[in-house]
Amino acid sequence: MSTSIPQNPSSTNVATLLPKLHDADADFRYMALNDLQQILNIGHANFLSSDYTISAKTVDGLLHTLNDTNGEVQNMAVKCLGPFITKAPDTILGPMIDKISNLQTGNAVDNSVPALALRAVVVSLPRPLPGVPRSKAVQDAHSAITKVLIPRLVGYNVVSTGRKDLPKPPKGLLQVDMENGTDSNAIDVLTEVARCFGPMLQEPEVHALQKITSEIIESDRSGSVLRKKAVIAMSVLASYFSDSLLSSFLSHLIESLRNPHLTPAKRKLYITILGSMARSIPRKFGPYLKILCPFVLSALSADELDSEMADSENEEERDPQIDEAREAALTALEAFLSSCGPDMIAYTPESIDAALRFLKYDPNYNDEEDDDEMGGTQDEDEDNEFDQDEDFEEEAGFDDEDDISWKVRRCAAKAIYTIITMHGSRDLLEDGTLYSQIAPALISRFKEREENVRLEVLSSLTALVRRTGEEAPTTTSTTNGAVQDGLMGPPPSRKRRRVGSDASMFDTPTQLSLASGYVSPPKPVGPKTGPQASLAQIRSDIVRGVSKLLKTSSQATKQSSLTLLKDIVIAEHGGLSSFLDQIVTPLLDALSSSVSSTGASAATANNLRIEALHLVAVIAEAHPSKDLEPYLAKIVPALAKAAKDRFSKVAVAALNAAEQCVKALTPPRSDSPGQQYSTHLERLYDMIVDRIPAQDTDTEVKSSAIHSLGILLGRTSGPQGVNLLNRQKRFAGLELLQDRMKNELTRLASVRAVDAVAALAQDKNEFTAKWVTGVALELGAQLRKASRSLRGSSLATLRMLVANPATRAHLDEKTVEEIVSLLLPLLTSNDLHLLGPALIILATLAKNNAAKIINDNTVKAICFVGSTPLSDPVVDALLILVRSIGEQGAGGRLMQAFLKDVGVGGNPDLTGKVIGTLLVFGGPSVGVKLDDFIGELRTAKDDQRKCLALSVLGEAGLRMGTSSPLQPDLFTNYFAAKSDKVPLAAAVALGRAGAGNIKTYLPVILSTMGGAATSKYLLLHSVREILQHNEAEADIIPYANDLWQNIVAASKSEDNRAIGSECIGRLAIIDPKVYIPQLQTFLTDPEADTRGMVISALRYTFADSDSSYDTYLKPNIISMLTTMLNDPSLEDRRLALTTFTSAAHNKPDLISPHFPTLIPLAIKETLVRPELVREVQMGPFKHKVDDGLELRKSAYETLYGLMDTAFPHLSPLLPTLYDRVVAGITDEHDIRVLCLLMFGKLLALAPEEESVRRLEKVAEAFRSVLSQKPKENAVKQDLERMQEQSKGVVKASVLVGREVPVVEGSGMEVRGWQDYWEWVKKEFPALVKAAEDELREKDR
């Protein structure tokens, strides 16, 4: 900034610059404008608003410089208009627009300057925003647009001014352009008027702008550039068309398309308009597709193609406009498919035919291949010809610049990609359409001579392969791809886990390592039918074509080819065993491709090498060791070389691939490893170890190397491991890991590597006591660090060290005591994430030496845990610790502390569980007996003591089982107690004791359920406790029928409905053959309450992870879900949505084929229904109540859950879903918060173009939320809500910049977002910084 410009300028400073605008020297004029711009930018908002004279002189000066003969001066004058118009008086806006629009640029070089100036003015004016009251400045700006600018554009007054003395406007700017065939950029001004002030335009104004735009499009004088701009303007205007105007406009287009004398050029324009409107107003445009789509398809019909080809044979030159029309038709078809998916379902077969027809359209190339050979098979002659084609770009006869048929083929490939991604649901896959029609056609186009088309073909086929992998049954998914390590999980258990189960807490090291992804899962058996079988049938054709592409084509094509192969391996969990001899050599050639020092070519080569390494990784992961063995001598050296690459991403990919090779060469993947594997493993070991201490190694590379080292050391453990890695290298590797644990940059990676080593350790002789104790204490020390991820990983690793006998054997008493002292602070930190594992570690240590663990500090810490609210998993961990202490005979001190220090002051339910568990397993060592608590129950005067005694007795009865001396009447006697707490505590205790002794307790419960309503409510709680323990299922079955009838009868009462629903749902699992059909029958009951009870019950039925009853559930589940989601009751539909969420999460295999039917029912409930909004009189005020709010909230919650578990099935409905999420941002607070989370997921999961298309609407919604002001009578809760939603919006805004790179561009489609983002950074800098810091910390 010039030193002459003051920090707080005034109108006087502006006045001093105005004479310089008329200086004879262009440099002076330019510098004066530059200073003026800076003054206008830094000046306060009103520093010119009260000085009309100076403002008027400034306008004259700017008009003079706009007509300058120097182009740079003109450009600077245009830049000054934006900041000037925001500071000038409101009354000067109209005259200034009028003067600019009438500016004659006779002396100027560029005659488009007036339109550029008008556009700069329009985009700088204050504009209407959704949800924000329209200020006086906005209304004044709109008035100037209406009264001055629109008449100057169209040439007449659209809205009557009421004054007859005013002269008529001169000929409109657009009329001049149309008559002269010029482009003054006035159409850009119209576009900005519609974009910025569309919501305020009156219908006559919209109609007038639409009319002049249509005239430009249809005028023969209009140039191609002007017509393209007019199409864009029409798509922007379309958002503000009334229903009648839209219908009239489309009717005109239909009549024009029916014109028998329609030229290809006009046809292209009309079809282009249809495609742009489909993208801009998909919901309003969709219903018209049943009339409009046939016109687009007719341009792509086989008859028309044959006719045109026949005519072209008789002519010397082909008309290029015909191909341009076809390109436009395919582009429009893609827009229809992507934006109006539900409306295009009926036209999907015809769309596929059209796209395939033009995918092979190449009229200038004499291809002798018969059309019937599109199945992907080629004869030997064609293979030889394909092999000899060493350069697709250099074939003779194809450099004709007039040949644009490649654009048609590219658009056809893009349309196919859209069909696969947006409409490739399970229906198209299962019926074979995608593989019988599309896949062979794509394979046949591998020989495509144009690079851009070939890339689109490979991209489309890759999308099909990925969709096949996504649609594969979830039970066969076992890959943990090289790039996404850790997706493997333990095999699904058929045993349901009950509440309070101890079994899952003492996982063996093998189970823990499997859950962590360290042990290879069993190889799945591929399905014999379905999409994966179809993929297997064409696999050989794909590989043959791709292998040739890898030898002859460009780097971009090679990278796309490698991506395709990688996705085939992932989708089929292998499948390339028979083709490795064709793939490995070109794969390694791609891996060793030369890299220039800088520039785009270096980035392309590096991307190619990274993709090659990813393919090596997935091949090593998914194929048997014997298949890899012949190629390891070439692969391992290539990986060693790539690991030393100076580009960190290449080195990281090489180390990930090396890790997968290690897994392939070691047990259990390799059952009988020989000496040859040892050689390769030692070379991999040297490669990995070499990268860890190197000073020039990037931190990310070091972390990957450390992780790989941990996997290598872990996988070579055990009897067979001795032959794979010598003892000296093993100990050196372990010492290196211990050393790196002390380094701040590598400690997290080292901790996780040690976790892998401990998880897979099989022999205690593979470790030294010094190493184990040193690592254990270092892990304990890491628990004090600030990093939460480091603390969590350190605790998990310490748990593994303690759980594995091979490492636990080296822990001496002193080390154990130190570990305990390091763990105790976690017990009092209220961090539930760390509390559970810490308790499990203590329980494991207590099994061997409880006396050394139990001291005053430990007892105090355990008592603190027992007196705080805990989640169920932490309660289970606490009870395991208590049981271990009791079994070792060291529970006396703990029992006394709980009775004295916690006692009635704590939560009776939790305290009772702890004392009851300790009482049973501690025996005589605890110093109290069961009779003591029976006596306490009978003699206690206060409710708290009775509740505690009941809880202790219930837990003791559960733990003692059939040997328990407790009788049901001990608990039922207290059902009638005059207390709010005691009867319920007695009911829960009855159920827990009954779960351990069904034959004694359940008959008593059944006989009592016919009594008073109060007893039924309490007994339902008892039944729920029994049903939650699956160990009792076998004993329950004889009583199931009576229990079912009693529960159903008791649940008809409103007070019992919630607890009864849970009991019904859990009981249905025990005998599904009998009870699931009964539940389905209840769904048609005329009583809404009965239907609601059953819907809630099904939520618990679906929530069970057991698959043994799926056989009985499969025939009924879809009809049940459909029935309940269409229930006439609002409350029942709300319950149905939660049940649908439960089913989608726990039974995806059963319902995923029917997601296209079920998901729209959930999306439908997100709409605001005005008939459900009513006014309620509250004193002198009226308050609006939305009866549909809870239903909408449940619908959004369901969709949020489906985004995690079933996003591929949402693809056909993605445009609708995205629109509903954006709409929800301006809904009520709870829905808004949920939609912000969904928006963040969509940014990461949805195609980038879907996000870009909605950025302007998203910006409007975000600005609306951030512009909300608290009411004068707002309470603290209201202020907190507003602060929370503002944080959420700003965080989502930051995510847009991270996930959508196009936002950094300057396209018109993102300018609205850029303006919003600049406003956010200016108005909310603290929130922006906090959001950026939070996301940066999350990425670490």
Side-chain angles (χ1 to χ4, degrees):
M1 182 186 295
S2 173
T3 55
S4 62
I5 298 176
Q7 294 294 326
N8 189 21
S10 63
S11 59
T12 305
N13 301 114
V14 175
T16 58
L17 292 174
L18 296 181
K20 299 179 183 179
L21 301 181
H22 299 270
D23 196 281
D25 191 332
D27 291 338
F28 279 92
R29 298 196 299 274
Y30 179 86
M31 294 306 299
L33 287 169
N34 185 57
D35 290 345
L36 177 61
Q37 182 193 22
Q38 296 183 56
I39 287 176
L40 293 172
N41 282 329
I42 67 173
H44 62 82
N46 300 318
F47 87 106
L48 281 178
S49 60
S50 59
D51 198 331
Y52 187 89
T53 303
I54 297 297
S55 298
K57 291 181 179 180
T58 304
V59 171
D60 293 337
L62 291 174
L63 288 171
H64 176 75
T65 51
L66 285 173
N67 200 18
D68 204 286
T69 57
N70 186 289
E72 293 184 355
V73 173
Q74 286 180 307
N75 292 337
M76 184 55 68
V78 171
K79 292 180 181 178
C80 290
L81 287 171
F84 170 73
I85 205 65
T86 60
K87 307 292 194 304
D90 297 336
T91 53
I92 210 169
L93 177 59
M96 186 181 77
I97 292 177
D98 184 62
K99 288 183 178 181
I100 294 176
S101 63
N102 288 292
L103 183 66
Q104 300 298 322
T105 56
N107 299 327
V109 178
D110 187 358
N111 64 356
S112 67
V113 169
L116 293 175
L118 288 173
R119 181 179 180 275
V121 170
V122 173
V123 299
S124 301
L125 291 173
R127 67 188 68 174
L129 298 171
V132 179
R134 291 167 184 171
S135 62
K136 182 178 182 299
V138 172
Q139 294 174 355
D140 291 340
H142 172 251
S143 177
I145 295 292
T146 297
K147 294 179 179 179
V148 182
L149 184 54
I150 292 179
R152 282 297 292 120
L153 288 173
V154 300
Y156 58 93
N157 289 316
V158 179
V159 179
S160 175
T161 60
R163 296 179 56 183
K164 298 182 179 180
D165 57 328
L166 295 177
K168 292 183 178 180
K171 184 174 290 187
L173 298 174
L174 293 172
Q175 291 176 321
V176 173
D177 282 353
M178 187 167 49
E179 291 178 0
N180 299 334
T182 59
D183 179 16
S184 68
N185 289 329
I187 190 66
D188 294 336
V189 180
L190 184 151
T191 303
E192 294 303 333
V193 168
R195 192 187 305 276
C196 299
F197 292 91
M200 298 182 72
L201 295 178
Q202 301 176 47
E203 186 170 351
E205 294 174 314
V206 175
H207 184 269
L209 296 177
Q210 176 266 323
K211 181 181 177 182
I212 191 67
T213 306
S214 297
E215 291 173 355
I216 292 173
I217 292 173
E218 296 182 357
S219 173
D220 294 331
R221 289 178 171 270
S222 301
S224 60
V225 175
L226 180 59
R227 286 177 176 174
K228 289 179 180 179
K229 291 182 178 180
V231 171
I232 295 173
M234 189 68 75
S235 67
V236 176
L237 271 172
S239 300
Y240 308 103
F241 283 4
S242 64
D243 292 341
S244 59
L245 180 57
L246 177 62
S247 177
S248 173
F249 174 71
L250 292 178
S251 297
H252 173 71
L253 282 183
I254 291 170
E255 292 302 319
S256 301
L257 287 168
R258 285 175 176 166
N259 186 351
H261 304 292
L262 182 67
T263 64
K266 289 290 181 67
R267 187 184 206 181
K268 169 195 169 183
L269 278 175
Y270 295 146
I271 291 176
T272 303
I273 292 172
L274 296 179
S276 63
M277 294 185 73
R279 287 191 169 94
S280 63
I281 52 170
R283 184 172 298 174
K284 294 172 68 175
F285 186 82
Y288 291 94
L289 281 176
K290 59 186 177 182
I291 302 175
L292 295 171
C293 191
F295 290 103
V296 176
L297 291 172
S298 68
L300 304 171
S301 66
D303 293 340
E304 190 165 317
L305 175 61
D306 294 340
S307 174
E308 188 270 332
M309 294 297 288
D311 293 341
S312 65
E313 292 178 358
N314 302 323
E315 299 176 3
E316 293 183 0
E317 294 184 1
R318 300 180 64 257
D319 185 359
Q321 291 185 347
I322 295 177
D323 283 347
E324 290 179 359
R326 288 169 179 157
E327 179 190 357
L330 286 165
T331 303
L333 189 63
E334 180 196 356
F336 296 167
L337 291 166
S338 61
S339 302
C340 309
D343 299 289
M344 282 295 292
I345 292 176
Y347 295 101
T348 300
E350 295 177 64
S351 301
I352 293 174
D353 292 340
L356 294 180
R357 183 177 302 117
F358 286 94
L359 181 66
K360 59 182 179 180
Y361 173 69
D362 200 350
N364 296 327
Y365 176 59
N366 185 19
D367 187 2
E368 297 180 357
E369 180 184 4
D370 192 86
D371 290 345
D372 294 335
E373 293 182 0
M374 295 289 288
T377 58
Q378 299 169 328
D379 58 27
E380 190 65 29
D381 294 337
E382 289 172 325
D383 286 346
N384 293 336
E385 180 183 355
F386 194 45
D387 286 334
Q388 293 167 2
D389 183 16
E390 295 182 356
D391 192 345
F392 292 105
E393 320 303 336
E394 298 179 0
E395 288 210 23
F398 298 116
D399 56 352
D400 186 1
E401 295 181 358
D402 293 332
D403 177 22
I404 63 168
S405 63
W406 68 271
K407 294 183 179 180
V408 177
R409 298 195 300 276
R410 183 183 62 179
C411 289
K414 288 183 176 181
I416 290 173
Y417 179 87
T418 302
I419 290 170
I420 293 171
T421 55
M422 303 299 293
H423 294 260
S425 61
R426 187 178 281 262
D427 291 338
L428 285 178
L429 279 176
E430 291 292 350
D431 66 13
T433 301
L434 296 182
Y435 276 102
S436 63
Q437 299 182 38
I438 292 179
L442 292 173
I443 295 171
S444 71
R445 296 311 301 172
F446 281 0
K447 62 185 178 182
E448 171 62 50
R449 56 192 174 87
E450 286 289 340
E451 175 81 5
N452 291 331
V453 182
R454 194 161 60 245
L455 292 176
E456 291 294 342
V457 167
L458 289 168
S459 176
S460 299
L461 190 55
T462 300
L464 175 56
V465 172
R466 285 179 181 169
R467 178 53 59 90
T468 303
E470 291 167 353
E471 298 289 346
T474 55
T475 53
T476 63
S477 178
T478 58
T479 57
N480 66 327
V483 211
Q484 298 176 343
D485 187 43
L487 293 184
M488 291 189 304
S493 172
R494 293 182 60 82
K495 185 176 182 180
R496 295 191 306 277
R497 185 178 162 213
R498 66 174 175 81
V499 175
S501 172
D502 311 341
S504 63
M505 289 299 180
F506 278 114
D507 294 298
T508 64
T510 302
Q511 290 173 320
L512 287 173
S513 62
L514 181 59
S516 302
Y518 300 136
V519 174
S520 298
K523 188 174 180 180
V525 179
K528 296 181 180 180
T529 59
Q532 287 202 318
S534 301
L535 175 58
Q537 292 174 0
I538 65 170
R539 185 199 310 137
S540 60
D541 296 323
I542 295 176
V543 173
R544 184 171 64 231
V546 165
S547 63
K548 294 165 187 171
L549 291 176
L550 290 173
K551 296 174 184 176
T552 60
S553 53
S554 65
Q555 288 187 338
T557 297
K558 288 180 179 179
Q559 182 179 340
S560 297
S561 301
L562 294 174
T563 302
L564 173 58
L565 290 175
K566 181 188 71 176
D567 287 320
I568 288 175
V569 176
I570 293 174
E572 293 200 287
H573 311 301
L576 297 185
S577 296
S578 304
F579 310 101
L580 291 178
D581 57 335
Q582 303 176 43
I583 295 173
V584 171
T585 300
L587 172 59
L588 296 180
D589 290 341
L591 182 55
S592 59
S593 58
S594 60
V595 182
S596 59
S597 58
T598 57
S601 60
T604 303
N606 284 325
N607 290 336
L608 174 60
R609 293 196 294 159
I610 291 171
E611 199 61 37
L613 289 165
H614 288 169
L615 178 56
V616 171
V618 296
I619 287 175
E621 178 195 12
H623 293 82
S625 306
K626 293 181 180 179
D627 294 342
L628 298 174
E629 184 177 340
Y631 311 101
L632 290 173
K634 296 180 179 179
I635 292 176
V636 173
L639 294 179
K641 180 180 178 182
K644 297 180 181 180
D645 198 277
R646 62 192 182 91
F647 293 99
S648 60
K649 291 184 178 180
V650 174
V652 169
L655 288 165
N656 287 336
E659 180 180 320
Q660 297 303 325
C661 289
V662 167
K663 293 179 180 179
L665 300 179
T666 52
R669 287 275 299 278
S670 177
D671 296 331
S672 55
Q675 181 61 35
Q676 69 277 18
Y677 289 176
S678 174
T679 303
H680 298 311
L681 284 170
E682 292 198 357
R683 182 158 188 176
L684 290 171
Y685 172 91
D686 294 337
M687 175 193 85
I688 293 169
V689 170
D690 178 63
R691 303 308 297 153
I692 296 175
Q695 296 297 324
D696 60 341
T697 305
D698 185 84
T699 302
E700 185 181 3
V701 177
K702 288 184 178 182
S703 298
S704 297
I706 289 170
H707 185 268
S708 299
L709 178 59
I711 294 295
L712 194 154
L713 294 175
R715 300 278 293 214
T716 54
S717 178
Q720 294 178 327
V722 178
N723 301 322
L724 295 173
L725 188 67
N726 66 60
R727 192 178 185 86
Q728 182 180 358
K729 288 190 173 183
R730 171 175 293 281
F731 285 147
L734 292 174
E735 292 297 331
L736 181 59
L737 289 180
Q738 184 179 7
D739 178 66
R740 302 313 297 181
M741 287 178 65
K742 301 173 184 177
N743 184 287
E744 184 177 358
L745 297 177
T746 58
R747 59 169 54 134
L748 180 58
S750 301
V751 166
R752 291 171 176 170
V754 172
D755 186 26
V757 173
L760 300 170
Q762 300 180 37
D763 187 353
K764 68 178 183 179
N765 295 323
E766 296 172 349
F767 305 93
T768 63
K770 179 182 177 182
W771 185 85
V772 174
T773 55
V775 166
L777 294 177
E778 182 65 29
L779 290 170
Q782 307 284 18
L783 298 176
R784 301 176 181 176
K785 302 297 183 182
S787 172
R788 182 174 177 82
S789 59
L790 177 62
R791 294 201 310 272
S793 297
S794 298
L795 190 62
T797 304
L798 183 59
R799 176 184 176 185
M800 194 68 71
L801 277 175
V802 172
N804 195 325
T807 50
R808 187 173 65 240
H810 293 286
L811 296 176
D812 53 31
E813 292 185 358
K814 181 180 178 182
T815 304
V816 169
E817 291 178 358
E818 292 187 47
I819 292 173
V820 171
S821 65
L822 292 169
L823 290 173
L824 290 183
L826 299 180
L827 271 60
T828 57
S829 64
N830 288 328
D831 190 339
L832 297 182
H833 175 67
L834 303 179
L835 180 55
L839 291 171
I840 293 299
I841 295 173
L842 290 175
T844 307
L845 296 174
K847 279 185 168 292
N848 297 319
N849 198 346
K852 291 290 184 180
I853 293 177
I854 296 301
N855 53 46
D856 291 341
N857 292 331
T858 308
V859 170
K860 185 177 180 181
I862 295 175
C863 288
F864 176 83
V865 173
S867 61
T868 56
L870 303 176
S871 61
D872 288 342
V874 179
V875 171
D876 293 343
L878 176 61
L879 295 180
I880 292 171
L881 172 58
V882 170
R883 175 175 178 171
S884 299
I885 294 172
E887 289 175 338
Q888 296 297 313
R893 190 186 305 183
L894 183 62
M895 175 66 83
Q896 294 302 318
F898 257 92
L899 291 173
K900 180 180 178 181
D901 299 334
V902 181
V904 295
N907 179 0
D909 186 55
L910 176 58
T911 307
K913 288 181 179 180
V914 172
I915 295 176
T917 301
L918 194 57
L919 179 67
V920 173
F921 294 104
S925 65
V926 298
V928 291
K929 300 179 181 179
L930 191 64
D931 292 340
D932 296 335
F933 292 97
I934 295 175
E936 177 75 7
L937 174 63
R938 291 171 176 169
T939 59
K941 302 297 184 183
D942 60 293
D943 293 345
Q944 197 75 2
R945 291 182 180 276
K946 288 185 178 181
C947 290
L948 177 58
L950 286 166
S951 181
V952 171
L953 293 172
E955 187 69 22
L958 171 65
R959 301 291 179 177
M960 296 175 72
T962 56
S963 62
S964 170
L966 302 175
Q967 296 300 313
D969 59 353
L970 177 66
F971 305 100
T972 55
N973 289 339
Y974 292 90
F975 280 15
K978 296 180 179 179
S979 168
D980 294 335
K981 299 178 180 178
V982 173
L984 187 58
V988 172
L990 175 65
R992 293 188 69 81
N997 194 355
I998 295 293
K999 295 180 180 179
T1000 301
Y1001 280 74
L1002 195 52
V1004 176
I1005 292 174
L1006 290 173
S1007 64
T1008 314
M1009 288 191 78
T1014 305
S1015 298
K1016 291 180 180 178
Y1017 175 76
L1018 296 173
L1019 289 170
L1020 285 173
H1021 279 81
S1022 303
V1023 171
R1024 181 180 65 175
E1025 288 293 325
I1026 292 174
L1027 295 174
Q1028 284 177 340
H1029 295 78
N1030 64 303
E1031 290 87 348
E1033 285 185 5
D1035 295 330
I1036 293 175
I1037 289 178
Y1039 306 96
N1041 187 43
D1042 292 340
L1043 189 58
W1044 175 269
Q1045 294 177 2
N1046 279 279
I1047 294 174
V1048 170
S1051 301
K1052 292 184 177 180
S1053 170
E1054 183 176 357
D1055 293 337
N1056 301 345
R1057 195 168 296 134
I1059 183 67
S1061 297
E1062 183 176 353
C1063 294
I1064 291 171
R1066 295 186 185 280
L1067 182 56
I1069 300 170
I1070 296 178
D1071 195 354
K1073 183 178 180 180
V1074 174
Y1075 299 121
I1076 288 180
Q1078 293 190 34
L1079 290 178
Q1080 186 175 15
T1081 303
F1082 281 132
L1083 286 176
T1084 58
D1085 193 278
E1087 292 293 330
D1089 292 340
T1090 302
R1091 298 195 304 270
M1093 174 190 70
V1094 176
I1095 292 171
S1096 297
L1098 286 169
R1099 181 178 57 184
Y1100 295 100
T1101 302
F1102 296 154
D1104 196 282
S1105 60
D1106 187 12
S1107 60
S1108 60
Y1109 70 100
D1110 286 0
T1111 304
Y1112 306 103
L1113 193 58
K1114 186 175 182 179
N1116 305 308
I1117 186 170
I1118 301 303
S1119 59
M1120 288 193 291
L1121 287 171
T1122 305
T1123 301
M1124 66 178 74
L1125 288 171
N1126 287 299
D1127 196 283
S1129 168
L1130 288 178
E1131 177 61 19
D1132 287 353
R1133 289 208 304 278
R1134 185 189 69 80
L1135 294 173
L1137 287 167
T1138 62
T1139 303
F1140 177 34
T1141 304
S1142 176
H1145 182 72
N1146 296 287
K1147 304 293 179 184
D1149 289 345
L1150 297 182
I1151 70 171
S1152 58
H1154 304 275
F1155 274 140
T1157 303
L1158 297 172
I1159 292 176
L1161 298 177
I1163 294 178
K1164 179 184 67 174
E1165 302 298 353
T1166 63
L1167 297 173
V1168 178
R1169 296 171 58 183
E1171 67 271 17
L1172 297 178
V1173 180
R1174 52 191 173 88
E1175 280 192 351
V1176 177
Q1177 190 79 28
M1178 300 181 66
F1181 305 103
K1182 289 184 177 180
H1183 179 66
K1184 285 188 176 181
V1185 176
D1186 187 352
D1187 293 330
L1189 177 61
E1190 291 301 318
L1191 179 59
R1192 285 204 311 280
K1193 182 179 176 182
S1194 295
Y1196 277 112
E1197 289 172 346
T1198 298
L1199 295 173
Y1200 179 74
L1202 289 173
M1203 290 175 68
D1204 286 329
T1205 59
F1207 189 80
H1209 301 282
L1210 292 170
S1211 297
L1213 300 164
L1214 189 57
T1216 305
L1217 173 64
Y1218 219 138
D1219 290 339
R1220 295 312 308 151
V1221 170
V1222 174
I1225 294 173
T1226 56
D1227 209 319
E1228 297 293 333
H1229 173 77
D1230 292 341
I1231 295 177
R1232 180 181 301 131
V1233 172
L1234 195 58
C1235 285
L1236 288 172
L1237 296 175
M1238 295 174 71
F1239 177 72
K1241 286 184 176 292
L1242 285 172
L1243 286 176
L1245 297 174
E1248 185 178 299
E1249 57 269 18
E1250 290 290 337
S1251 300
V1252 173
R1253 191 181 304 161
R1254 292 166 177 80
L1255 280 180
E1256 193 165 7
K1257 291 183 179 180
V1258 171
E1260 293 175 355
F1262 283 0
R1263 193 190 292 259
S1264 172
V1265 175
L1266 293 174
S1267 300
Q1268 292 180 5
K1269 303 295 182 184
K1271 298 179 181 179
E1272 294 182 359
N1273 59 347
V1275 297
K1276 181 181 178 181
Q1277 185 180 11
D1278 296 330
L1279 297 176
E1280 290 175 348
R1281 282 187 170 187
M1282 294 193 68
Q1283 185 177 14
E1284 179 188 1
Q1285 69 188 25
S1286 297
K1287 287 181 178 178
V1289 167
V1290 172
K1291 182 179 178 181
S1293 303
V1294 174
L1295 277 174
V1296 171
R1298 290 160 58 103
E1299 299 289 346
V1300 187
V1302 76
V1303 173
E1304 300 299 327
S1306 57
M1308 293 179 64
E1309 70 276 3
V1310 298
R1311 190 171 50 76
W1313 174 267
Q1314 290 171 333
D1315 293 343
Y1316 156 77
W1317 181 235
E1318 292 299 324
W1319 174 74
V1320 170
K1321 290 192 291 185
K1322 180 180 178 181
E1323 298 293 331
F1324 305 93
L1327 291 180
V1328 171
K1329 184 177 184 303
E1332 291 175 342
D1333 293 343
E1334 180 184 348
L1335 292 172
R1336 196 179 300 114
E1337 180 65 26
K1338 187 178 180 181
D1339 291 339
R1340 291 178 180 175

